[in-house]
Every structure is written in structure tokens, then in C-alpha cells.
Amino acid sequence: MHNNIWSTIFDPGTFSQMLRSATPVALAALGGLMTEHAGIMNIGMDGMILMGAFVAAVGSYFCASAAMGILAAMLFGILIGLFFALFTVKLKSDEFIIGCALNTFALGVTAFLSREIFGLSGTSGYAVPSLPNVTIPLIDRIPFVGKVLSGHSIFVYVTWLLVFLMWLFVYRTPMGLWIRASGESPETLRTVGKNPERMKWIASILCGVFCGLAGAHLSLGYLNGSFVEGMSASRGYIAFACVIFAAANPPRAYIAALMFGFFDALGLRLQSYVSSDLTGTIPYLITIIMMVYVVVSRQKRRERLAKQQLQRLEP
Amino acid sequence: MKKQRFDYGYILTLLISLVVALLIGAGILALTGHNPLVAYRALLGGAFSNARHIGDMLEYAMVLCLCGLACDIGSRVGIFNVGGEGQLLLGAIFAAQIGVWLKALSPWLAIPAAALGAMIVGGFYAWIPGVLKVKLKVNEVITTIMLNTVAVFLCQFLAKGPWKNTNKNIVAGTGNLPGSFWLKKLVPGSNLSTAIIAAAVITFLVWYILQKTSKGYEMRLTGDNPRFAKYAGMKTERIVLITMVISGMMCGLVGMFRVYGAEHIYKSTVSNEYYFEGLMVAMIAQYAPLPTIVISLIFAILKIGAMGMETAAGVPKQLYLIIQTIVIFCMAAETGIRAAIARNRERRAAKQDVKARKEGGNEHA
């Protein structure tokens, strides 16, 4: 019996599912860390993902091409980013209110339009082109690793590339530095002749595009061409937690997303042993524990630094 | 102290935002091939056409108002209870199950016990993020949202598993409440029950405590300027935590009202993200109690009306969510634009000031 549980957990299927579950969260987190660097508390990502998923499904259906769906979701992401920045940056509205309202708006508008376009039963009866799964030659022959790494939607691999590119962008380009400065110390940025508000606009637009991508992955890759009402399922909030956990560092955010994905996969794998309703809570509880861990460890580090400074001053 | 007096600017903004939102809603209706006039007439009919609809509308206004107030008191001390949905659901399922357990007792014992149980569960579920926020400074928005989903799963587990109804046709629901435990209906056939009287008392108490007592003043001070409140000798951490727990207790009680007043059983229809709609109401009311009451009435009309509109005119009822959020965006835009104009005026005045003094480099941001 126990052997059975362990072999279920450490099956390649668990790790393959981990990568699948982590990808939409990681994509959204890549967007969320831009706004986090720019000093905007963005809890509206869930709505951005949901609308991205819907636009991708609609675009893919009407253009009969998954690529067009992705393009539509990205273009729409730009719009949403502009809309979000208009309120949070230009009009200086409460980020919390705008984020909450954006999420509810997304819930309402996607459900309304999906019923208008596809009818009550959603996209199930319609042919929405989805993305094919990619088999990587050679790697798919390796016994364990092949099953884990190969055969995913193209988004899984694109995300790896994007994580690296975003790391380069944030820490190795002037634009990344300016965006970080716009959040940490906007006045300093102003003294070197850069407009911090413009950087926040850029960060917000990038966030919209990434959330659009995450949504496109959900409807076209993860669920193979279907839109379900409320399908973002709090992933935007989980992505936000990942961003905080990672201190807005792209590779670390990806690791946090993987952690979420692992526990999500674990819950799915353990369904034959425990009720799926109980295992379903695991990723959300883990997110809370992650948040607590981050905050506590950050406080400890600050305390240690303060003590060191005190010791240096005292003798 | 703008909250005490009638704030005409705010009312004007609210009305304009409502009109703009309804106009945008009409535009969406026209674009999707509906006749806006027919749809809006169906909406009004859905809310007012008969006593049953009016009763349903008032019951929903009660839910929105209590949820909105629960959010109000939290924001008053600077903590956002976004987890009301989970507190509501857990309160509802525990209240329902307590009713099943105490089946043999008199309703005079069982109903207060259920209310108490719901409040304890809801309060405890709000205490968790409260303590994390107060002691460890963990962002309560994320933890409460996560706890919402956890509560949804937990309730599903309980309703499908250990507390399942003996009736095989009910997939996920607790046992039926005995008829003597049902709160008396004020309008037969509708959801409106005597719970609304209790709700009115709670609403009055919240308004009174927030606006008229020194406790309410301490709460406001804690929210506005926690450092000052602390140095003035207030136990700010305790105030925040207690407020959060009370907020959770109110949400739990709403769940109990839903079960004992309307559904008479716990199932998923007890709440469909009702708390979030209450949260929207509180935001539009700018976390003040009196506007919360009025706006929850307006949105109850919209929501119940939208359900009538769905059946009568075939328009998806989610139009209601769109209108509600557009009101928020409009109000945010209005305040933002007004603040921007004021900033511009200040900047211009400052520049003239600088010119007058013939000094350079004194720029204010």
C-alpha cells in the first residue's frame, strides 16, 4: 500500500503534470513581477488571465488558427495593460479596488460574451483550434526524463525561454533598471531625466501581455481549445504569491510556480487515496505557507542585518 | 468629517457613474443584438413585478449590505477582509449541520446555537489571516483569497462526504432542516424572512459603533494613522484583530441567514461569490456605512432584475457584473480626474509662487 503511494507520487506523470500546471502561473508571474518592480500592487492578474483566455479562444475560433488566438490574446493584453495603467498610474486610483474590479469585470464580461457567442454550454460544441503537443526528439527516448520533459504544449518550452529573457531584461538592460527604479526610488529616476510614470506604463503593458499569454495557454494549450467560465481559478492570485515569494526575480518566480505545480499535480495524483476536494486545497494552503515563509525569513534577515550593524557600532 | 454631512459631490458622482454604466451596458446590449430598452424594462420587471421578486430583492440587499459592512469595518482599521466568501460558506455549512444535530431540540435553542456556531466558525476563519497580518505582517489580501478557495473545497468535501444528505438525489448538500427551524417568511414564496430584522439590528449597531462611539473613533484612527494611534496608547494590533474577527463573524452569520431563511439546507446555491459583490458595494460606498446600505439596495435591484431579464429577454445575467464594475471604474476615474485637476492647479500656483519669489530649483512633485 505504502509502496503504491510512493510510486504514484514519484511517477513521471506527476512531474509532467507539475510542468503543465506551473506554466500558466509562471507566465502570469513573469508579468506580475514587472508591475511589482514598478511598485504597483497588481491583484488584477486573475482577471487579465481570464480575459486573455477568452480572447484567445474567440480569436482562435474565428480565425481558425491557434496562432491568431495567441496573437489576439497578446494584443488584448496590451489593451488591458493600458487600461490598468490608466487607472493605477495616471489617475492614481487605489490599486486594490481597481484590481478587484478588474477581476469581477473579467468574470462578468467573459461569461456574458461567451454565452452570447457560444451559448449556454460554452465552447464544448465548437471547434476551437488548439496547440499541438511537442515531442522533443532524442530527449523523449530517455526513460524518466523523456516522459517528464517531452510532449508538452509549446508554451511550456517558450516559458523557459521567457524566464531567461525576462531575467536578462530586468537585471541586465537599462530599461529593466529604470523599471526597477520607478518602483524603488522614482525620485532618483527623475533626477536622471527618466519619467517613472512612463516606466510604470511599460511595466503594466508587459504585465498585460504576459497575462494574456498565460490565458492563451490556459484555453488553447492546457485545456486543448476550450473556454470555461472562471477558468483562471485564482491562478492570478497564486502568481502574485509567487512574485512575492521570489522577490520579483524571474527564475525564482519560476521555481515558486513549479512548487505550486508540484503540489497541484500531487493533489491530482492522490485522488484515488484522498477525496479530490481535500487534495484540491493543497496548492492554496501551500501558497499561504509560502507567503508566511517569505515574510518571516525576510524579517529575520532584516533583524540579523540590524544586529550586525549594532555590533559594528558598539565596540 | 465629510461622512456625517450630506456629501452632494459624492452623490452626484455616484449618479453619473450609474447612468454612464447603464449607457455602456445599453451599448453592449445593442452590439450583441438585443434591444436595450426591452432588456432594461425586463430588468425592472424582474425586480418589481410582484411581491415575490421584491422579497427576493430585499433579501439579496440584506446579504449585500451585511457583506459590505463586514468589509467596511475591516477597511476602517486598515485590513481588507477579502475572505468573506469563505467565512460565509463555512458559517452556512456549520449552521446547517448544527441544525441537523440539534433536530430534537426546540427551535428557541437550536436557532441561536446555529447562529453562534456560524459566528464562531466565521470569526475563526477570519482570525487566521488576521493573526498572520498582525503578528507577521503577511499581506491579508492574498491569504484571504487563498482561504476562500480552501473553504469552497472544504464545504464541498463536507457536503459530499461526512455531512451528506441521506437523499441520494442531492449530490452535495447537508441534511434537511426540520420545518420548525425555518425562519418565518415575511413574503410567502420569496427568500425574505425574519432574518432581515436581525440584519437591520446588526446594520444599525455597526453604523452606531463606527460613527457614534469612541471605539469607532479608535478604529478609524487605527486605520488612518496606526503609528499615531499606537503612540496615543491604543492597542492597535488588538483592535485590528478583533475587527477582523467581527467582520468574519458577520459573514458567518450571513451564511446562517441564507441557510435558515432561504435555502433550508446547505448546498452550493447558498452563496455564489455574493461576498465579492458586497465588496464591490463597499468599494463604491467608499467604505462608509450609510452609502453601503443605499448602494446594496440599488445593486440588489440590478441583480434580481438581471435574473428576471435573463428569463424574460434572454440576456445573460452577467450583464449585472459588467454594469457594477463599470460604476467602480467610472467613480475611480472621476475621483482621479478631479485629483489630477487639483494637482495641476497646485503645480501652477507653486510655479507662480516660485516666479514671484524669483527662486529656482524649488520644484515640488
Side-chain angles (χ1 to χ4, degrees):
Chain A
M1 176 77 186
H2 276 289
N3 260 334
N4 231 339
I5 287 191
W6 290 118
S7 64
T8 315
I9 292 175
F10 290 105
D11 189 78
T14 313
F15 293 97
S16 166
Q17 175 64 33
M18 167 182 88
L19 277 177
R20 270 166 55 81
S21 301
T23 301
V25 173
L27 277 170
L30 284 179
L33 62 89
M34 288 316 299
T35 44
E36 181 71 16
H37 276 306
I40 305 170
M41 180 180 144
N42 186 356
I43 61 165
M45 277 191 280
D46 208 49
M48 294 183 183
I49 297 173
L50 190 57
M51 285 192 272
F54 179 71
V55 169
V58 170
S60 174
Y61 172 65
F62 281 109
C63 303
S65 134
M68 287 309 284
I70 297 168
L71 191 70
M74 286 172 73
L75 288 178
F76 189 76
I78 296 178
L79 276 182
I80 284 293
L82 284 170
F83 183 78
F84 187 71
L86 173 69
F87 281 97
T88 53
V89 181
K90 183 83 187 164
L91 298 173
K92 295 192 168 41
S93 310
D94 188 332
E95 293 146 1
F96 173 73
I97 293 181
I98 296 302
C100 271
L102 198 62
N103 291 338
T104 312
F105 179 74
L107 212 59
V109 85
T110 54
F112 180 87
L113 290 178
S114 134
R115 285 176 191 200
E116 285 291 321
I117 297 174
F118 299 111
L120 257 182
S121 47
T123 55
S124 52
Y126 294 81
V128 178
S130 67
L131 289 168
N133 288 343
V134 184
T135 319
I136 313 174
L138 288 180
I139 287 183
D140 68 321
R141 303 246 185 92
I142 308 172
F144 189 86
V145 181
K147 271 189 188 154
V148 173
L149 293 183
S150 180
H152 291 290
S153 146
I154 183 95
F155 269 106
V156 172
Y157 311 110
V158 170
T159 308
W160 293 346
L161 183 69
L162 286 175
V163 168
F164 176 67
L165 288 180
M166 282 304 278
W167 176 79
L168 275 184
F169 176 72
V170 172
Y171 295 107
R172 292 287 182 274
T173 63
M175 182 73 97
L177 178 70
W178 296 335
I179 287 179
R180 278 184 291 149
S182 74
E184 263 171 44
S185 166
E187 290 314 308
T188 320
L189 190 63
R190 217 185 282 276
T191 54
V192 296
K194 293 280 175 258
N195 186 350
E197 292 198 349
R198 184 171 298 158
M199 294 303 139
K200 287 181 192 227
W201 278 86
I202 293 171
S204 177
I205 290 168
L206 276 172
C207 178
V209 172
F210 273 107
C211 288
L213 268 182
H217 171 51
L218 266 188
S219 59
L220 301 182
Y222 194 76
L223 281 189
N224 293 325
S226 62
F227 174 80
V228 183
E229 283 173 27
M231 73 190 299
S232 57
S234 302
R235 283 191 180 84
Y237 301 114
I238 293 170
F240 184 80
C242 288
V243 169
I244 297 197
F245 178 77
N249 175 315
R252 276 199 233 160
Y254 189 72
I255 290 169
L258 278 182
M259 210 148 84
F260 160 77
F262 176 74
F263 284 105
D264 194 36
L266 198 64
L268 289 174
R269 304 291 296 184
L270 289 180
Q271 268 177 19
S272 44
Y273 299 97
V274 198
S275 151
S276 64
D277 292 321
L278 285 184
T279 54
T281 62
I282 295 176
Y284 302 94
L285 290 174
I286 290 294
T287 306
I288 296 176
I289 295 169
M290 250 162 57
M291 295 274 293
V292 172
Y293 169 78
V294 170
V295 173
V296 170
S297 66
R298 208 173 284 167
Q299 272 166 1
K300 281 220 175 106
R301 199 172 54 218
R302 211 174 295 147
E303 262 170 39
R304 209 175 47 233
L305 282 177
K307 256 184 204 157
Q308 279 173 359
Q309 263 182 347
L310 209 68
Q311 274 173 354
R312 227 174 287 148
L313 289 173
E314 266 181 348
Chain B
M1 292 274 105
K2 67 171 188 204
K3 269 151 206 158
Q4 245 90 13
R5 249 181 286 123
F6 234 54
D7 189 343
Y8 288 105
Y10 168 74
I11 292 170
L12 194 67
T13 309
L14 177 63
L15 285 179
I16 292 174
S17 301
L18 263 174
V19 170
V20 169
L22 285 171
L23 284 177
I24 294 178
I28 294 174
L29 282 171
L31 279 178
T32 49
H34 299 280
N35 184 344
L37 282 177
V38 174
Y40 280 154
R41 195 171 301 150
L43 190 145
L44 274 181
F48 291 110
S49 58
N50 60 38
R52 205 166 54 82
H53 287 165
I54 295 176
D56 281 352
M57 187 266 285
L58 286 175
E59 195 256 0
Y60 192 65
M62 168 192 92
V63 172
L64 284 186
C65 178
L66 286 182
C67 290
L69 287 174
C71 177
D72 283 350
I73 61 169
S75 81
R76 194 56 73 93
V77 296
I79 187 166
F80 286 104
N81 181 7
V82 195
E85 185 73 13
Q87 294 143 21
L88 194 162
L89 286 173
L90 283 176
I93 199 168
F94 271 86
Q97 188 60 22
I98 287 171
V100 173
W101 281 332
L102 303 181
K103 217 175 242 173
L105 290 181
S106 117
W108 294 105
L109 274 172
I111 292 174
L116 197 68
M119 280 162 78
I120 292 173
V121 172
F124 171 72
Y125 212 59
W127 176 81
I128 302 171
V131 135
L132 289 179
K133 160 93 174 178
V134 167
K135 300 283 177 212
L136 300 173
K137 307 268 179 298
V138 180
N139 184 327
E140 78 279 15
V141 173
I142 297 298
T143 50
T144 47
I145 286 169
M146 293 298 134
L147 284 174
N148 275 342
T149 321
V150 171
V152 171
F153 276 118
L154 271 183
C155 289
Q156 248 175 50
F157 168 73
L158 288 172
K160 277 187 201 163
W163 294 353
K164 194 183 167 333
N165 197 308
T166 42
N167 185 344
K168 285 267 185 312
N169 290 330
I170 299 171
V171 181
T174 60
N176 296 48
L177 286 182
S180 61
F181 288 5
W182 298 9
L183 296 176
K184 200 172 153 27
K185 289 274 155 86
L186 292 181
V187 178
S190 80
N191 284 339
L192 188 69
S193 66
T194 44
I196 201 166
I197 299 170
V201 172
I202 295 170
T203 306
F204 175 76
L205 278 178
V206 168
W207 171 80
Y208 185 79
I209 292 172
L210 281 184
Q211 305 290 58
K212 301 280 171 198
T213 64
S214 61
K215 278 275 167 284
Y217 184 69
E218 282 183 4
M219 282 165 71
R220 192 178 311 157
L221 212 54
T222 308
D224 287 350
N225 197 341
R227 277 195 191 160
F228 175 75
K230 203 163 193 170
Y231 288 125
M234 293 170 202
K235 296 192 174 92
T236 51
E237 292 189 347
R238 233 181 74 187
I239 293 176
V240 171
L241 194 53
I242 289 175
T243 310
M244 186 67 177
V245 169
I246 292 174
S247 173
M249 287 163 94
M250 284 171 67
C251 294
L253 202 58
V254 175
M256 183 261 174
F257 288 166
R258 285 287 301 152
V259 170
Y260 280 69
E263 303 285 346
H264 307 135
I265 178 179
Y266 174 87
K267 52 185 181 190
S268 59
T269 49
V270 158
S271 171
N272 181 20
E273 310 228 312
Y274 290 170
Y275 181 79
F276 283 97
E277 286 165 22
L279 191 76
M280 296 287 133
V281 167
M283 284 174 178
I284 296 171
Q286 300 177 337
Y287 311 113
L290 283 181
T292 302
I293 299 167
V294 179
I295 293 165
S296 53
L297 260 173
I298 297 176
F299 282 116
I301 294 171
L302 270 177
K303 162 103 180 191
I304 301 296
M307 285 157 92
M309 179 178 74
E310 190 171 63
T311 41
V315 180
K317 63 171 181 284
Q318 278 81 4
L319 184 73
Y320 148 78
L321 287 177
I322 301 177
I323 292 177
Q324 196 179 25
T325 42
I326 290 176
V327 172
I328 296 184
F329 287 132
C330 284
M331 295 193 66
E334 205 271 355
T335 20
I337 289 168
R338 212 193 289 168
I341 291 172
R343 264 201 307 279
N344 264 342
R345 198 179 298 146
E346 234 168 71
R347 198 174 299 156
R348 223 174 293 135
K351 264 184 193 161
Q352 277 172 355
D353 204 37
V354 170
K355 239 183 233 165
R357 290 190 197 169
K358 294 203 171 169
E359 283 175 8
N362 247 348
E363 204 181 317
H364 283 285

